[in-house]
């Protein structure tokens, strides 16, 4: 996550990117944008707000040599000599254009931005931002003509969220430049992250925590819910979050010992983990540090409602992992030929 309280924009340029599949062309600006106060005050938070909640970071990737990664090379040029900003920003748009290999890749405005005063992990640095605006919204414009007001519809950029964006920090660790990315219009996940930026998750606690929680979430949906029902799924998810909250380090063997009472469940998890690693082309570590910020963010995404076909929902508390097993019973009524849940309680709140 970054802090934008001391951030500012030092350079800003807008280009248009086409789609070579549709034979639409790029259009380049030759001058930087000179903001008035109102547009600047709206633009700065518009660009940086999405990154305030991003907890995972990326690093540049290349199958042969990182120096051959185009965006890595272009950002390094700008960081070393900001006088190259306009020319290099055009190269960035051309590289983006070259990735438009299908009709579904959208044309749009490309904003290339230099930021100052970006705070990340208690370090202040400058950064290069690349944003693609793909969607325009309709808005009403009123105007005065012949002593009467009239209205017309115009299209413009919504100030609520960017479609695609990345921030490349002029700050490195052992893996290279730190990169943050958002994609709110992810019709093609390969296009922005893999083809244009060519980046991979950092090898850190954030990524390890994220991947393991993702494994547990998918296992609960595809195996536990399908085989044993929603109650078993939600109990497992609640215990997973509880384990991550109570431990600063996750040891996978201890995790399985605490969550699985029966060997058959443990074996199902091991089998699913191998499938998950093969499909994601990764190897999950057997021990890693827990990233609390990732746990808190992922916890909010968990859906723990049991939805029944009788228009009744049972909402379970993700922070009470033992409540479902202790106070909720699932059974089958032979007379009605229906499944049922029995809920135990003392008083209604």
């Amino acid at each position: 996550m970054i802090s934008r309280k001391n951030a500012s924009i030092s350079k800003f340029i807008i280009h248009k990117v086409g789609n070579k599949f549709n034979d639409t062309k790029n259009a380049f600006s030759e001058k930087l944008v000179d903001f008035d106060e109102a547009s600047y005050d709206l633009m700065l938070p518009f660009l940086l707000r999405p990154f305030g909640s991003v907890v995972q970071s990326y690093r540049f990737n290349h199958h042969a040599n990182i120096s051959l990664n185009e965006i890595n090379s272009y950002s390094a040029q700008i960081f070393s000599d900001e006088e190259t900003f306009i020319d290099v920003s055009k190269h960035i748009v051309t590289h983006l254009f070259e990735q438009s290999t299908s009709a579904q890749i959208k044309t749009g405005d490309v904003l290339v931005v230099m930021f100052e005063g970006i705070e990340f992990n208690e370090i202040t640095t400058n950064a290069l931002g690349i944003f693609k605006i793909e969607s325009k919204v309709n808005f009403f414009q009123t105007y005065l003509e012949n002593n009467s007001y009239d209205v017309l519809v115009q299209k413009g950029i919504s100030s609520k969220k960017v479609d695609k964006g990345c921030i490349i920090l002029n700050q490195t660790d052992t893996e290279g430049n730190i990169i943050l990315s958002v994609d709110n219009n992810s019709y093609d996940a390969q296009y922005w992250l893999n083809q244009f930026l060519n980046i991979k998750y950092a090898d850190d606690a954030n990524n390890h925590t994220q991947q393991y929680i993702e494994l547990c979430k998918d296992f609960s949906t595809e195996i536990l819910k399908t085989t044993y029902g929603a109650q078993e799924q939600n109990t497992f998810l609640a215990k997973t979050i509880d384990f991550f909250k109570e431990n600063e380090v996750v040891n996978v063997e201890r995790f399985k010992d605490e969550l699985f009472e029966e060997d058959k469940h443990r074996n199902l998890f091991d089998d699913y983990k191998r499938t998950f690693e093969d499909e994601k082309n990764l190897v999950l570590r057997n021990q890693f540090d827990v990233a609390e910020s990732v746990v808190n963010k992922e916890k909010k995404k968990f859906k723990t409602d049991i939805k029944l076909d009788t228009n009744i929902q049972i909402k379970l508390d993700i922070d009470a992992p033992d409540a479902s097993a202790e106070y909720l019973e699932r059974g089958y009524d032979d007379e009605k030929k229906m499944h049922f849940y029995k809920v135990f309680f003392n008083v209604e709140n």
Side-chain angles (χ1 to χ4, degrees):
M1 291 181 281
I2 65 168
S3 171
R4 55 185 172 91
K5 63 181 179 180
N6 295 317
S8 62
I9 295 172
S10 60
K11 287 182 171 57
F12 185 105
I13 196 166
I14 303 174
H15 304 296
K16 298 276 188 179
V17 64
N19 183 320
K20 64 181 180 179
F21 189 90
N22 300 342
D23 200 31
T24 51
K25 305 300 182 183
N26 297 334
F28 298 109
S29 297
E30 299 298 332
K31 294 181 180 180
L32 302 178
V33 172
D34 185 15
F35 287 103
D36 59 41
E37 184 176 356
S39 58
Y40 179 89
D41 289 344
L42 190 62
M43 181 63 73
L44 182 60
F46 166 66
L47 297 178
L48 293 181
R49 190 185 302 115
F51 299 95
S53 58
V54 172
V55 294
Q56 283 188 275
S57 63
Y58 296 85
R59 302 296 182 273
F60 285 119
N61 186 40
H62 196 275
H63 69 276
N65 191 307
I66 291 297
S67 63
L68 299 177
N69 180 299
E70 288 88 346
I71 302 301
N72 180 30
S73 175
Y74 294 146
S75 60
Q77 289 182 55
I78 291 175
F79 287 142
S80 63
D81 183 5
E82 290 195 17
E83 294 301 316
T84 65
F85 178 81
I86 294 178
D87 288 338
V88 174
S89 71
K90 296 178 183 178
H91 296 324
I92 290 172
V93 173
T94 300
H95 175 59
L96 181 61
F97 175 80
E98 291 301 320
Q99 312 315 311
S100 58
T101 55
S102 73
Q104 73 179 105
I105 303 297
K106 299 178 181 179
T107 62
D109 299 336
V110 180
L111 319 178
V112 185
V113 187
M114 277 299 298
F115 296 103
E116 307 292 333
I118 299 289
E119 296 180 24
F120 180 83
N121 287 348
E122 299 181 351
I123 295 175
T124 301
T125 184
N126 60 334
L128 176 68
I130 305 169
F131 304 87
K132 186 184 179 192
I133 309 299
E134 299 176 325
S135 304
K136 299 291 180 72
V137 297
N138 293 328
F139 65 92
F140 293 110
Q141 178 68 52
T142 59
Y143 64 96
L144 182 64
E145 186 175 27
N146 297 328
N147 296 321
S148 295
Y149 279 98
D150 207 339
V151 64
L152 58 83
V153 176
Q154 294 182 317
K155 282 187 176 291
I157 299 172
S158 170
S159 61
K160 292 184 178 180
K161 64 180 181 180
V162 298
D163 290 313
K164 290 173 166 53
C166 75
I167 292 180
I168 303 161
L169 302 180
N170 190 14
Q171 177 186 342
T172 61
D173 57 15
T174 56
E175 296 183 81
N177 284 86
I178 299 165
I179 306 158
L180 306 176
S181 181
V182 294
D183 189 349
N184 289 311
N185 196 7
S186 53
Y187 53 84
D188 186 344
Q190 303 298 314
Y191 165 64
W192 182 255
L193 291 178
N194 295 348
Q195 296 170 352
F196 172 59
L197 296 173
N198 193 2
I199 53 180
K200 61 181 180 179
Y201 280 122
D203 185 20
D204 60 10
N206 287 335
N207 182 42
H208 303 150
T209 303
Q210 172 79 33
Q211 295 292 356
Y212 207 82
I213 291 179
E214 192 72 28
L215 162 68
C216 294
K217 184 169 63 175
D218 290 356
F219 172 74
S220 75
T221 301
E222 296 183 20
I223 305 299
L224 293 182
K225 184 178 181 180
T226 302
T227 309
Y228 301 103
Q231 182 183 1
E232 189 79 17
Q233 175 197 24
N234 292 325
T235 298
F236 173 77
L237 288 176
K239 288 183 175 180
T240 296
I241 290 297
D242 194 55
F243 185 91
F244 274 76
K245 286 167 59 179
E246 291 185 355
N247 293 273
E248 294 182 356
V249 177
V250 167
N251 178 279
V252 171
E253 292 304 314
R254 190 158 64 86
F255 171 83
K256 291 188 290 186
D257 288 342
E258 289 197 18
L259 265 73
F260 301 118
E261 295 180 0
E262 299 183 36
D263 287 341
K264 64 177 181 179
H265 292 166
R266 184 186 181 111
N267 293 336
L268 283 172
F269 184 80
D270 287 338
D271 291 342
Y272 188 84
K273 178 175 175 287
R274 285 189 287 270
T275 302
F276 182 88
E277 289 175 320
D278 289 342
E279 290 179 351
K280 301 284 186 177
N281 192 26
L282 55 82
V283 177
L284 297 173
R285 295 196 177 191
N286 291 323
Q287 185 165 304
F288 55 88
D289 294 335
V290 173
E292 183 180 359
S293 58
V294 174
V295 176
N296 292 334
K297 185 174 182 180
E298 290 303 306
K299 169 187 162 184
K300 296 176 183 177
K301 299 178 183 179
F302 284 1
K303 305 296 184 183
T304 57
D305 295 355
I306 300 176
K307 297 182 179 180
L308 308 177
D309 59 1
T310 50
N311 298 318
I312 294 174
Q313 295 186 30
I314 302 172
K315 185 175 179 60
L316 303 177
D317 190 344
I318 194 70
D319 290 318
D322 297 322
S324 174
E326 189 171 354
Y327 303 121
L328 191 67
E329 280 186 17
R330 190 176 191 270
Y332 185 80
D333 188 297
D334 290 322
E335 185 175 334
K336 289 190 173 183
K337 307 298 184 185
M338 297 175 71
H339 297 282
F340 66 83
Y341 279 105
K342 184 188 292 185
V343 182
F344 297 90
F345 64 95
N346 293 312
V347 294
E348 294 184 7
N349 291 328

